[in-house]
Amino acid sequence: MKRILLKSVYDAWDYVMDHYAPAGQEEFARRRDSYAVISIQDTHTDGFGFEFTENKYCEGVLTLYFDDIVRPVDGAVLFSEEDAEEIISFVLRHKGTETLLVHCYGGESRSRAVAAFITKMCGKDDSMYFSTGRPNRHVYDTLTAVWEKRRR
């Protein structure tokens, strides 16, 4: 994968819609790169009211439901090792995709942690994600622990 895009739900929608053109007018689409989506949605609202789907440009979608918390909270869903396994497997399956789009509601905590981890998983420097925002440490640390366990 050539690039990882970190977006809010609104910016992710705009990115996906930039690939759209009416039937027979595909040459007018603003974007034509292949992409895969990791969509992180809230549980207390039952998601954002829409889900991304595979299409001509979208090679895969992983939708996960967990909340932006760092420890158990009644009524909320904490990121789990199973979620981490799903993300790692998804990334490995889509290594050849040009763009990996990662989003949550605001694009600042959960998705930032996932994007930072994927950058690190790919052998690159993830410090930018920490210097420009605040990744959810529970999400990042769980992904790192599961990846390390998997590599042993």
Side-chain angles (χ1 to χ4, degrees), residues 8-63:
S8 70
V9 66
Y10 302 107
D11 292 336
W13 175 263
D14 288 343
Y15 175 82
V16 168
M17 290 308 294
D18 280 347
H19 292 81
Y20 172 77
Q25 299 179 23
E26 287 80 8
E27 69 272 13
F28 295 112
R30 289 188 200 120
R31 297 184 152 279
R32 293 184 187 88
D33 58 313
S34 66
Y35 64 93
V37 179
I38 297 177
S39 178
I40 302 166
Q41 303 210 16
D42 298 331
T43 65
H44 63 280
T45 59
D46 294 322
F48 301 134
F50 64 88
E51 291 188 13
F52 296 101
T53 59
E54 292 182 20
N55 60 51
K56 178 179 179 177
Y57 300 107
C58 182
E59 298 180 352
V61 177
L62 174 62
T63 303

Side-chain angles (χ1 to χ4, degrees), residues 1-7 99-103 107-122 124-137 140:
M1 111 192 26
K2 292 181 183 174
R3 66 184 178 152
I4 300 167
L5 291 181
L6 171 63
K7 301 281 187 187
T99 302
L100 178 61
L101 172 61
V102 183
H103 87 85
E108 290 300 324
S109 185
R110 293 169 291 174
S111 57
R112 182 174 290 274
V114 171
F117 166 75
I118 293 168
T119 300
K120 178 180 171 182
M121 179 183 160
C122 294
K124 298 177 183 167
D125 180 21
D126 67 353
S127 62
M128 167 192 81
Y129 295 98
F130 293 90
S131 64
T132 59
R134 297 181 65 194
N136 181 305
R137 283 308 304 205
Y140 184 84

Side-chain angles (χ1 to χ4, degrees), residues 7 13 29 54 64 79 82 92 97 123 138-141 145:
K7 301 281 187 187
W13 175 263
E54 292 182 20
L64 296 171
F79 183 76
E82 292 79 19
L92 292 173
T97 303
H138 172 72
V139 171
Y140 184 84
D141 292 345

